[in-house]
Amino acid sequence: MGKASFVVRRSLQLVVTFWAVGTVLFGLFRLMPGDPTSYIVSSSMTPEARQAIIASYGLNEPMHIQYIKFLQNIVVLDFGQSFHSNAPVSEVIATYLPNTLVLMLTAFVLAYAAGITLGVLSGWYRGSRFERTAVIVALVARSVPTFYVGLLVLWIFGAGFGVIPMSGMTSAGTANLSFFAMITSVDFLQHLAAPALVLAYYFMGYPLLIMRSSMLEVLSEDFIDVCRAKGLKERTIMFKHAARNALLPIVTAAAIALGYAVGGSVLIETVFAWPGIGREMVRAVLRRDFPVAQGTFMVLAATIIILNFIADLAYGYLDPRVTYD
Amino acid sequence: MAQEETTGSIFTDIDDGGSGEEINRWQRTARLWRETLSEHWGLLTDELSVKLSMLMVAFFMVVAVIAPYITENPPLQRQYESDAEIIILKWAEPSLLGADSGYLLGTTAEGFDIFSQLVYGTRAALLVGLIAAVFTAGIGTMVGLVAGYYGGKIDDALMRIVDFLYGMPMLPTVIILVALLGPSLWNIIFALIILQWRSTARVIRSQALSLRERPFVKAAEVAGAGDWHIISRHLAPNVLPMSFLYGSFAIAWAILTEAGVSFIGLGDPNTVSWGTMLQASRAYSALQFGAWWWFVPPGICIGLLVISGFLIGRGYEEITNPKLQ
């Protein structure tokens, strides 16, 4: 099979996956015990008023009509209105998604810069104490829950020393700035530092371990010996020759990991009260605001699905040896 | 039992040559599996970090079993009456720090014995970890073997399901499922299993794909062995190391996820877990009051148990893939 037909087949698969996620989501919220309408209508309403509200959400129609409408609306990114605030769900998403992306991307860049460097070094100095320590640190970073590390950081640096804010993304009373002005303000950076560093520490282990084993593989190849024979400096061989060739697995792994990172934003945003999409999803679930829960979940799933797709396609371009069979 | 048969690699098949004592097929299958396992057990326990991790898991298991003998206070029983308030907002200081309260780690703001909660929390963690791991590895292995062995349409259908599951963000999906099914430990375990088998299935399938082409499988086919015979006796023992590897990682992920879901507030209200302890401590602002004895110990326990799972998994990974060493 050629590259073109691989891309076509993979794209079709992407569409099918989206359809499947949407269908499952629809089914979950409709078929589970408990009537979704009971959360939006109160018992004190007159029957007519109740019917009017139910009809305004389209919940009085037969299931298959609701299903078709649901799928149509997903295509045009219309997830309905919040039961809670009445605002369109797409507006809710537009408010919270950028906050999540800023936090995740910051943490991700920090984590991969540190993780790749440490991975290169621990692959190079295989069997040394440095390598053993780095691997242990990576394992510990992935074993202790992020939200727990977040709690400890808040306790020590927030409640204890008072050097970081206890919650939120900006201080109360900050004037309403444009998004760009906000994310470049000092106040925002103060709020960003703690959650971003905690997340970076958690993410770091993965690139470190991948880079290390990728380095081990590259270092056993002949061209490294050639470099040595040419009399190149150790540092030149390590970063210019070995590390560059060992980077490939990181690229695709990073794309996939970024998707799961956004999907896993739930906990860190909850601990630091960061107004992101993961925390909003949890709040929507807890107050039974199904349209918002569906919409935000769809966004988290879509991030993963699309980044997996990109990783699959990128692999073929980055490594010409890949065949599609 | 013939001793020389155990000295071969994991790919040795038992040769009974159709002669000698007539043992039934189940005994033969059991013997094959037992030999693979005992060989790997020997290799595994060579490593110090693995040995320590197993001791750690064993320690927590003992604590879980004898919990009522370690502490006499049930974890969810108020230790003193409130002053006509629904919520007790005073806590006993830990006697560990010299307070004269009689509670090793003091009490929570609701009047529960923290040490007792910590001890009983072990039960929830191990229950979630072990059950989720057994089912994750079991279902994943079965699906992977069937998909890899039969190939074609069956393989395609099963792998599309796996692809779909890979599109679902882990924690948000578990959160939604638990919110809809109701917060209980069993629902958390159920939601975890539904998602987690995906990675095991993928890896086992690719192993089965390559094993299927090996001469010993071809030979069995020619000799007239049925599908089930080949899967259970020729493929399964060879993929067992991989299932165990994914099983031990699944323990770690399951415990982490349960802690996260509980921390968010969807934990089982009738069971104490380390996650619900952290959630309660946060809800009662233990951070701001500096009551570290409430929220530091559960996190340490989670970390210790999870890292044990990861280290056992890593030790096993080095056996199955010696390149990593």
Side-chain angles (χ1 to χ4, degrees), chain A residues 181-204:
Chain A
M182 182 201 65
I183 63 168
T184 46
S185 69
V186 175
D187 179 53
F188 175 79
L189 294 178
Q190 275 174 349
H191 283 80
L192 178 69
L197 286 174
V198 169
L199 266 182
Y201 169 68
Y202 177 69
F203 290 155
M204 191 187 70

Side-chain angles (χ1 to χ4, degrees), chain B residues 20 28 31 41 209:
Chain B
R28 237 167 64 97
R31 204 208 289 178
W41 178 260
L209 274 178

Side-chain angles (χ1 to χ4, degrees), chain B residues 73-150:
Chain B
N73 302 324
L76 286 173
Q77 182 188 307
R78 293 249 154 93
Q79 296 302 308
Y80 37 79
E81 287 306 310
S82 60
D83 317 329
E85 304 264 340
I86 302 163
I87 297 165
I88 306 171
L89 270 177
K90 61 179 183 196
W91 45 54
E93 301 277 313
S95 62
L96 194 69
L97 298 180
D100 191 20
S101 64
Y103 303 105
L104 200 57
L105 290 171
T107 61
T108 71
E110 300 141 294
F112 302 137
D113 182 346
I114 294 178
F115 179 68
S116 156
Q117 292 205 328
L118 194 66
V119 169
Y120 277 90
T122 316
R123 289 186 169 182
L126 285 175
L127 203 65
V128 171
L130 294 179
I131 295 180
V134 167
F135 279 92
T136 301
I139 297 174
T141 306
M142 289 294 272
V143 172
L145 284 176
V146 167
Y149 177 71
Y150 287 103

